[in-house]
Amino acid sequence: RQANADNQQLEQRINLLEKSQKEAQQRQVQMENEIGNKDKKIAQMTQRQQQLSQELQSAQTEVSITSRQLKSIQSNHSKSDQTISDLQQTLQQRQQELEEMLENEKKNNAEE
């Protein structure tokens, strides 16, 4: 009888140990899944970071190009202003010359 009771106790302990072992295995699987999920998230975040980095680089390149274009436009604008100024000066000089020629003609006509 005692042996029977001992056997039952041992069987119960074995059952408990097996149950604990199963629970431990389930927790291990769960933890491995969580680690896998976190690794996936880290990979996604790293990928997103690289994507944003490329977008930033692209935007910086665009700003640089636009800045050069703006400088070129400003330079051309400045050259145009200078050309207009030169033309105005030439026109004024020509007008003066013509006025002087006209004065001389009037004088010549008056003397004759």
Side-chain angles (χ1 to χ4, degrees), residues 51-103:
Q51 184 185 351
L52 289 171
S53 193
Q54 286 173 342
E55 287 176 22
L56 176 63
Q57 212 170 4
S58 176
Q60 286 171 333
T61 302
E62 211 172 313
V63 166
S64 177
I65 290 170
T66 305
S67 179
R68 282 199 300 268
Q69 289 172 337
L70 180 61
K71 282 179 186 165
S72 173
I73 289 168
Q74 287 171 334
S75 172
N76 290 340
H77 188 71
S78 177
K79 287 176 189 168
S80 295
D81 283 352
Q82 186 57 49
T83 302
I84 290 169
S85 176
D86 290 348
L87 286 172
Q88 284 175 330
Q89 211 171 357
T90 304
L91 282 171
Q92 283 176 340
Q93 287 172 348
R94 186 73 182 123
Q95 189 178 1
Q96 255 181 328
E97 289 170 10
L98 288 171
E99 285 172 356
E100 286 172 13
M101 287 170 67
L102 185 63
E103 281 299 310

Side-chain angles (χ1 to χ4, degrees), residues 21-64:
Q21 186 181 9
K22 279 182 186 174
E23 287 173 359
Q25 285 174 338
Q26 286 174 340
R27 279 199 304 271
Q28 186 180 0
V29 167
Q30 191 179 357
M31 285 175 75
E32 285 171 359
N33 286 341
E34 285 175 13
I35 289 170
N37 288 340
K38 285 181 180 170
D39 285 347
K40 280 182 197 170
K41 245 184 192 165
I42 289 171
Q44 287 172 341
M45 288 170 78
T46 302
Q47 193 177 9
R48 180 73 179 132
Q49 190 178 3
Q50 288 171 343
Q51 184 185 351
L52 289 171
S53 193
Q54 286 173 342
E55 287 176 22
L56 176 63
Q57 212 170 4
S58 176
Q60 286 171 333
T61 302
E62 211 172 313
V63 166
S64 177

